[in-house]
Amino acid sequence: TLKKYNIKKPFICITSRDSAYLDTKTDKNYHDFIDTDFRKFDESINYLINKGNSVIRVTKKTNIDYQNQSKKYFFLTEDRTDSSDVFFLSQSKYNIFGSYNGITNLSAIFRKKSLYLNFVPFSLKDLTTISKNSVFIPKKIFSIKENRFLKFYEINNLINSEYNIHYQGNFFQDKNLKVVDNTVTEMLDTIKEFDKSYDQIFEKSENHLQDKFWNSFSDANGIRFLKDELCIKISDSFLENNEELI
């Protein structure tokens, strides 16, 4: 497939889920809060291509039409199979997941350092499923009743105590909460940060906000596992721009 479409290495895979994944007529377990508009990747895709990478969009189905005129951008529709998705995700330089869903588990299986954007539902236990040395940024949650964004530890507590993946309805909407996607700028800044350091050996961040973030949670053993064994990190730039949520 690489030869047929003249896909040159290094290539980066980007995935995201949208409304095409849910049949509202038969499935009342709404997960549309996971969805991400792939068009928000446009600036990031151009940045990665200008850095010498090819970019492959990987998705089984989509309602989002995105076009890019670069000969280094690929969206294979005719020859796409589940096997080709697995192949691309396993052979990529790294993967960028625009939504947290089933396909994200492949990076952990391949032990491939990856970038997880729009991570929702966000909790420490869900972070244990992502691949070692990876970076993430969560979606923010706005309380309509309290007219404020929930702090990160509050989101974690909410998910741990009340969220059920089989909830019949829209969990956040039913609790008068609004899920807010990562902005184009947050995504681009995080991708720049990740791309710059992806091939470096993991080192503890010198950004004091990392410790402030992790220390805001009460699960000391879980934090130790994520930080010291899985070497998971939340984006520095994201923390700097959202310090008030720590």
Side-chain angles (χ1 to χ4, degrees):
T1 302
L2 292 177
K3 185 176 181 180
K4 178 179 179 179
Y5 288 96
N6 197 29
I7 301 175
K8 303 293 185 183
K9 289 189 175 184
F11 64 84
I12 295 166
C13 293
I14 302 181
T15 79
S16 70
R17 165 192 151 132
D18 58 55
S19 60
Y21 279 73
L22 178 65
D23 181 359
T24 56
K25 293 181 180 180
T26 59
D27 189 352
K28 301 305 179 184
N29 186 358
Y30 295 103
H31 285 158
D32 57 344
F33 55 82
I34 297 175
D35 297 348
T36 299
D37 188 337
F38 193 85
R39 291 168 294 192
K40 296 176 74 172
F41 278 108
D42 184 59
E43 289 186 48
S44 296
I45 289 172
N46 291 332
Y47 168 80
L48 293 171
I49 288 174
N50 288 335
K51 295 288 287 185
N53 304 287
S54 298
V55 174
I56 303 175
R57 181 184 184 184
V58 175
T59 187
K60 189 171 187 176
K61 50 187 175 181
T62 181
N63 287 330
I64 302 295
D65 181 34
Y66 170 76
Q67 304 291 329
N68 190 298
Q69 299 306 310
S70 173
K71 293 182 179 180
K72 300 191 74 173
Y73 170 76
F74 302 90
F75 182 32
L76 312 183
T77 54
E78 294 182 1
D79 292 337
R80 186 247 144 230
T81 64
D82 289 348
S83 295
S84 68
D85 288 353
V86 172
F87 172 78
F88 289 132
L89 291 167
S90 67
Q91 298 299 310
S92 63
K93 177 181 177 180
Y94 59 80
N95 300 316
I96 299 174
F97 297 108
S99 307
Y100 177 56
N101 57 339
I103 198 171
T104 59
N105 293 324
L106 289 175
S107 269
I109 293 172
F110 298 132
R111 294 180 172 86
K112 183 178 289 289
K113 179 179 179 179
S114 297
L115 177 58
Y116 299 77
L117 307 176
N118 288 297
F119 196 94
V120 67
F122 163 69
S123 71
L124 297 183
K125 65 180 180 181
D126 287 309
L127 288 178
T128 63
T129 67
I130 70 178
S131 49
K132 189 173 182 178
N133 296 316
S134 291
V135 174
F136 76 97
I137 56 174
K139 290 192 179 187
K140 287 175 273 192
I141 308 296
F142 185 80
S143 170
I144 298 173
K145 180 179 179 180
E146 299 180 17
N147 193 34
R148 68 175 180 89
F149 283 102
L150 299 186
K151 292 183 178 292
F152 297 126
Y153 78 85
E154 291 177 312
I155 300 174
N156 175 72
N157 293 343
L158 172 68
I159 298 304
N160 283 337
S161 63
E162 300 186 43
Y163 179 73
N164 185 320
I165 193 172
H166 301 297
Y167 180 83
Q168 293 296 298
N170 189 317
F171 175 80
F172 292 101
Q173 182 176 298
D174 292 348
K175 292 190 173 298
N176 217 19
L177 300 170
K178 181 180 180 181
V179 179
V180 180
D181 291 358
N182 299 149
T183 66
V184 169
T185 300
E186 287 172 338
M187 294 165 64
L188 177 60
D189 287 348
T190 300
I191 287 172
K192 287 180 177 179
E193 177 186 326
F194 184 80
D195 187 70
K196 183 179 179 181
S197 63
Y198 90 97
D199 59 351
Q200 297 175 6
I201 297 175
F202 179 86
E203 294 181 359
K204 184 177 180 180
S205 174
E206 296 180 358
N207 191 325
H208 74 283
L209 294 179
Q210 289 285 335
D211 286 336
K212 185 178 179 181
F213 169 79
W214 291 111
N215 291 337
S216 69
F217 303 98
S218 59
D219 184 2
N221 290 331
I223 294 167
R224 191 177 304 111
F225 175 72
L226 291 169
K227 285 181 61 181
D228 300 336
E229 295 189 38
L230 288 185
C231 303
I232 301 301
K233 175 184 171 184
I234 185 171
S235 162
D236 283 334
S237 61
F238 183 77
L239 285 183
E240 290 165 3
N241 291 313
N242 295 281
E243 184 176 0
E244 72 280 1
L245 301 184
I246 300 177

